[in-house]
Structures are given as C-alpha cells and as structure tokens.
Amino acid sequence: MKRLYYIISFLVILFSFNSCYDDSSSLAVKEIAEIQVTSNVKDTINLYLGDNISIKNQYSYTGDDISWQWSIGKYTENAVTDQVSTVFKEISTEPDLEYKTTDLRHYFLRLVTTNKYGSDIKYYHVFVNSEFEEGYLILGKREDGKGSLAFMKTLTPEEIAQGLQPEFRQNLFAYTNDGEELGEGPIDCDKVYDKLYIMCGKAQKLYQIDAKSFQLVHVFDYSIYGNDFVPQDLISYDSKYCSEIYSTSPNGGVTKVQIADLEIFPYTDLPQNIKFTRTYDRPNYSASKVIAFIDDVNSKIYASGFNAVDFSFSYFPCYDYFDGREIIQVFFDVDGNMLVYTIKEDKYYLTKIGSTLTSFETLQLDVVYERECTENTTLFNKNSVFEVNDPSSCLFFGNQNMVYKWTYNQSEIPSKAFITLPDGEIIKCMNQSADHKQLYIGTYNSSRSGLKGSLYIYDSDTGKVIGKPYEGVADEPVKVMYKVK
C-alpha cells in the first residue's frame, strides 16, 4: 500500500511539472511559429563545384530581435575508431546565404533562427557534384601529338526537363588545370577507384588526376630510367585495392608504379627483354584485369600461375609451349582461361589454356584445346582493336570501318561484318558498358574538317546503333570509356 502511495505521489508531481512547462513555453512556440521562415530552395540542394549555395529567406515576423546563424557541416571519420561525426562551422549571420562551394562532397547546412522567445533549426542537404562526374570520356591525340580530353556528361532529370542537350566539351585537362597540357603520345587511360591515370608514352609521363574534377594530383616521370624506357601500356583495374600499375616498353623492360608511395620501380620478377603485353580490363566490378606478358623475340608468354620449377605462384613462360610460334593476340575469357592466337609453320591456331595454367598431377601446362583456324585467318591480326564480350563468349574486333563478332569457341572466323560504320571512319579503339550490353567505338576520319574523332554506340547483341552518333567530337581517339562516379 505504501508503494502505491509513492507511485501516485510521483505521478502527481510529474503532471505538475508538465503543466508548468506547457504554460511557460506556449508563448515561445507561438512567437517562433509566427516567423514562418520560407526559402527559395528545397531541403535537398544539388549544384556543381564552384557554384554558390544561394538561399533567400522570407518571414512574416516583424520584430527586430531575430538572429541568424548559418553553419555548414561535413562528415569526419576517426581513422582509429572508425566513428563518423559531423563537424559544423559558422559561415554567415545574414538572413540570406551566399556561399561558394570549394569541395566535392555531401554537406549538411544548418540554419538556426533565434529571437527572445526561443530558437528554431532548419537543415538542408547539399550535394556538391562535378560537371565531369559521370559520362563519356575520350582520350584523344591531337595533330601535334599531344593528348587531349573530351567529355560529355550524363544529364540529370532536372537538366533534361530544362531542355538541355548532351554535348562534348573539349580540352578539359587544360581547362581544369590552369592551361597545363597533357604530354605527347597518349596511349591509354584508366579509372582506378577515385583517380584517373593517363599514360603519355613519348612524353614518358603518367598523369594522376582526380576522377571527378579532372584536377591534376601527381605526375609520374619515367625519364628517371633514361630515354630507353618509353611506356607503351597501362596495366591496372578499377578498384580501391589496385595499388600497383605496370608498364612495358618497346625497347624492353617492365616497371611498376606504387600508387601509395608515388614511386616508379623496375619490376624484376620478369625478364627485362619483355616488350609488350596483352591485357583485358573488364568494365565491371566482379573481375579485375588479367595479364599476359609477351616476349615476341623468343616467342614466350608469361602468365600468372603455378610454376613447377620452383613450386611457387608467379609469372612463368608457360613451359615454353609457344616456342617457335608467332604470337598474334592473347585474350582471356570470363573464367580466367587464356586464349592464344598464333602462327606455327604457316598454320593458324587458337589454344585455350586452363585458368590454373598447370595440371597439378603432371605439372604441365593445362591445354584445354588447340584448334586450327582455317577460315578468314588474317581478319584477326596484330593490329586488330578488340573487346571480349563475356555474356556472349565472343570477341569483337575491328578492321578499317568494320566490326566482326567471333564466337571464339569456333575455329572459323566470320567473314561477314557484324557492324559496318560509315565510309572513311577508321576504328581506333573500342570499349563496353559495365553490363556488356553496349559497344563503344571510337573512330577517326582524316577527311573530316575540324575535329576528326567520333563516337558510335551499338547494341552488343543486335549490332543496331543506339541513339545518334557523335561525329566530329574529339581528336583522334585513343581510349573511349563511360566514366562512372
């Protein structure tokens, strides 16, 4: 009974405090509500880097005792505890806000409105994006031999509703880097996590730029090895775990770039007479780049697998299986099997090597099959630009203005073109969408006035053109890609 008495007494006291609170705060709530602050923007604001956050407020409260505090906050992460917090800093005490954005990120914007009766808080989400965040990117080679970047952004629904049309912008590297230009001999471009890497062989430079803003971060200079090492390829893949980039030289040698250390080192795990590679960077996140280093002087292919000589996993010359052959092309299927197209005694062979590269029972090269190709053998050659399409287990390769589609488990190479581009267009590079449903083709037409590079997009299954071709939108294309965020 005594316990019940205490409970009833506590509830009475609690009710009394609650009544007092309602009496003292009702006026403040009423007065703040009378301010009725409204702005010209929504709670979520999307804009581009360098744009102003521009907010104009309207309010009905007539008192002169209002104070305004604008604060902006951004995520901070404790590297030790992994805890995430938001730190705000005051940026204005005016009713209206004009604030220039300087970083690409998601901000929290807070407005605290105060009068003598109390305060009110309003939050905005501000997403500062880049004009170059997502879209089609073309690395080109100008007539003077230097590199250039052309980019066409993917329009937002709001921009489409405004009637904007997509178009390529030119010279973006110079535009975003105070007039600085890419070096001579552009050969490749690849996105690695949040960075873009552009290789310019003749200049012996590898440019590391921010993938969203195109602003220069670092330049790797291969001339520290002298003029003999001229990088001719860019071996990497799009992943935060890709920490090394490899290159070979037509004069021999292999180097690796340590991204974290910003250093270039000779790669001594391979013979230094290696002169070129064959790589395939699948445009998706489920598979990384697979590599075959090729010694075309001694007809050897160095691939990663089990080496029976010293019982280790490393690059080894496939047990000299391809000695005495002319190596035409090397590519990989989705399961990691290596396919090698070679000439031996004037006959053409397609050899499939198992993904383990060895048989652990016999410690020999795991040759799944070797087939002699007897039809249209020269269509697919050393100069062919090609892309492997995983869903269809086929190979797209180009000759002049034609693209052929070869289901490579068949020995006969098709003679009928899968895609025929307009006369005068010469295929320079190809790439695919992440789902392999679209084929991107970069072409060059020497007779076209002005910019001579074009982009054509086709359906990978049907070969039908998608949308309107983008003709005369770049310099001679070296690499075309759809750059994701």
Side-chain angles (χ1 to χ4, degrees):
M1 189 69 182
K2 183 179 292 186
R3 183 181 179 186
L4 179 61
Y5 170 78
Y6 286 134
I7 293 174
I8 294 173
S9 301
F10 173 77
L11 292 173
V12 170
I13 294 172
L14 183 62
F15 178 76
S16 299
F17 275 118
N18 187 58
S19 299
C20 293
Y21 174 80
D22 286 345
D23 288 344
S24 62
S25 63
S26 61
L27 182 59
V29 170
K30 181 179 180 182
E31 290 293 341
I32 288 297
E34 287 182 354
I35 297 178
Q36 296 179 351
V37 177
T38 59
S39 65
N40 62 325
V41 298
K42 298 179 180 179
D43 294 344
T44 298
I45 304 171
N46 286 283
L47 38 78
Y48 290 127
L49 180 65
D51 290 347
N52 279 2
I53 303 174
S54 181
I55 301 178
K56 297 186 180 300
N57 287 310
Q58 295 180 348
Y59 50 94
S60 59
Y61 184 72
T62 58
D64 58 359
D65 57 324
I66 302 178
S67 65
W68 307 80
Q69 183 192 48
W70 291 95
S71 301
I72 198 163
K74 55 187 178 181
Y75 287 115
T76 59
E77 184 173 353
N78 189 306
V80 178
T81 65
D82 291 332
Q83 290 183 336
V84 177
S85 60
T86 303
V87 178
F88 285 90
K89 72 171 183 178
E90 183 180 297
I91 56 174
S92 176
T93 56
E94 298 295 324
D96 299 331
L97 178 67
E98 290 289 335
Y99 182 77
K100 185 173 183 177
T101 59
T102 57
D103 294 304
L104 295 169
R105 64 173 61 241
H106 173 199
Y107 292 99
F108 287 109
L109 186 63
R110 182 178 67 191
L111 170 61
V112 180
T113 310
T114 306
N115 64 14
K116 61 184 177 182
Y117 299 108
S119 300
D120 192 24
I121 302 178
K122 183 175 179 59
Y123 289 94
Y124 298 88
H125 290 278
V126 180
F127 295 92
V128 181
N129 308 304
S130 169
E131 294 180 76
F132 323 118
E133 193 156 16
E134 182 170 355
Y136 293 98
L137 174 69
I138 301 177
L139 171 64
K141 183 173 69 175
R142 302 187 329 202
E143 292 185 356
D144 62 2
K146 291 186 176 181
S148 65
L149 283 184
F151 184 78
M152 181 176 68
K153 73 181 296 291
T154 299
L155 298 179
T156 64
E158 293 82 5
E159 290 171 329
I160 294 174
Q162 295 171 10
L164 296 180
Q165 296 294 322
E167 62 179 357
F168 275 91
R169 293 183 57 181
Q170 306 298 322
N171 303 317
L172 286 187
F173 185 83
Y175 172 77
T176 57
N177 293 285
D178 298 324
E180 185 173 346
E181 295 184 337
L182 293 170
E184 288 188 82
I187 54 177
D188 201 357
C189 173
D190 205 359
K191 181 176 180 291
V192 179
Y193 194 43
D194 61 349
K195 300 291 190 300
L196 276 176
Y197 291 86
I198 300 174
M199 181 71 79
C200 292
K202 191 172 182 179
Q204 296 181 282
K205 296 286 196 304
L206 175 62
Y207 297 85
Q208 181 191 64
I209 67 177
D210 185 275
K212 290 187 177 181
S213 67
F214 289 172
Q215 293 174 336
L216 182 64
V217 178
H218 185 75
V219 179
F220 297 92
D221 189 350
Y222 288 84
S223 65
I224 61 173
Y225 292 105
N227 295 327
D228 286 340
F229 193 90
V230 180
Q232 65 177 352
D233 41 34
L234 176 63
I235 307 170
S236 62
Y237 59 93
D238 186 4
S239 169
K240 67 185 297 183
Y241 303 108
C242 178
S243 59
E244 296 177 343
I245 294 176
Y246 297 89
S247 295
T248 65
S249 170
N251 302 317
V254 183
T255 63
K256 65 177 179 180
V257 169
Q258 293 279 9
I259 295 176
D261 298 332
L262 300 180
E263 295 287 348
I264 303 175
F265 302 95
Y267 187 61
T268 57
D269 292 352
L270 283 163
Q272 292 301 294
N273 61 309
I274 288 177
K275 292 189 174 182
F276 66 98
T277 64
R278 286 294 180 267
T279 66
Y280 179 51
D281 186 7
R282 285 167 167 75
N284 58 51
Y285 301 107
S286 62
S288 59
K289 183 179 282 278
V290 282
I291 310 170
F293 291 92
I294 302 172
D295 177 355
D296 64 340
V297 175
N298 300 301
S299 301
K300 296 184 185 297
I301 300 176
Y302 291 82
S304 181
F306 185 75
N307 188 348
V309 177
D310 55 12
F311 299 98
S312 64
F313 282 93
S314 62
Y315 285 102
F316 69 102
C318 294
Y319 301 107
D320 303 324
Y321 183 87
F322 297 100
D323 282 10
R325 303 192 186 199
E326 180 184 353
I327 300 166
I328 301 175
Q329 293 284 11
V330 179
F331 58 96
F332 294 81
D333 65 16
V334 68
D335 298 318
N337 300 306
M338 184 171 68
L339 292 107
V340 186
Y341 190 49
T342 60
I343 302 176
K344 180 181 179 181
E345 298 176 352
D346 297 325
K347 293 183 179 180
Y348 291 77
Y349 294 94
L350 184 68
T351 308
K352 181 176 180 179
I353 310 298
S355 58
T356 59
L357 291 179
T358 56
S359 169
F360 286 92
E361 295 178 357
T362 61
L363 294 179
Q364 293 179 351
L365 197 65
D366 182 15
V367 180
V368 179
Y369 63 72
E370 182 168 275
R371 297 170 179 163
E372 182 181 353
C373 299
T374 58
E375 299 291 334
N376 312 309
T377 52
T378 59
L379 276 179
F380 186 51
N381 54 56
K382 285 188 174 182
N383 297 320
S384 295
V385 176
F386 69 91
E387 277 287 309
V388 181
N389 185 272
D390 291 332
S392 300
S393 296
C394 71
L395 184 80
F396 295 112
F397 67 91
N399 270 325
Q400 296 297 312
N401 69 324
M402 296 183 181
V403 177
Y404 299 85
K405 186 176 184 179
W406 178 24
T407 303
Y408 48 75
N409 60 3
Q410 299 176 1
S411 58
E412 180 180 347
I413 300 175
S415 60
K416 183 179 180 181
F418 179 63
I419 295 170
T420 301
L421 291 104
D423 290 340
E425 300 295 328
I426 304 299
I427 298 170
K428 291 295 182 177
C429 57
M430 292 194 295
N431 209 332
Q432 298 177 83
S433 58
D435 58 7
H436 292 249
K437 292 183 178 180
Q438 295 184 1
L439 180 65
Y440 312 137
I441 304 175
T443 67
Y444 180 77
N445 190 331
S446 59
S447 63
R448 178 179 285 113
S449 61
L451 294 172
K452 304 180 188 304
S454 301
L455 170 63
Y456 295 83
I457 304 174
Y458 291 88
D459 186 289
S460 299
D461 293 326
T462 65
K464 293 183 178 179
V465 66
I466 297 176
K468 182 180 178 181
Y470 301 100
E471 297 179 329
V473 295
D475 294 302
E476 179 181 342
V478 173
K479 176 69 174 284
V480 57
M481 62 186 293
Y482 185 85
K483 189 178 75 68
V484 298
K485 293 182 178 180

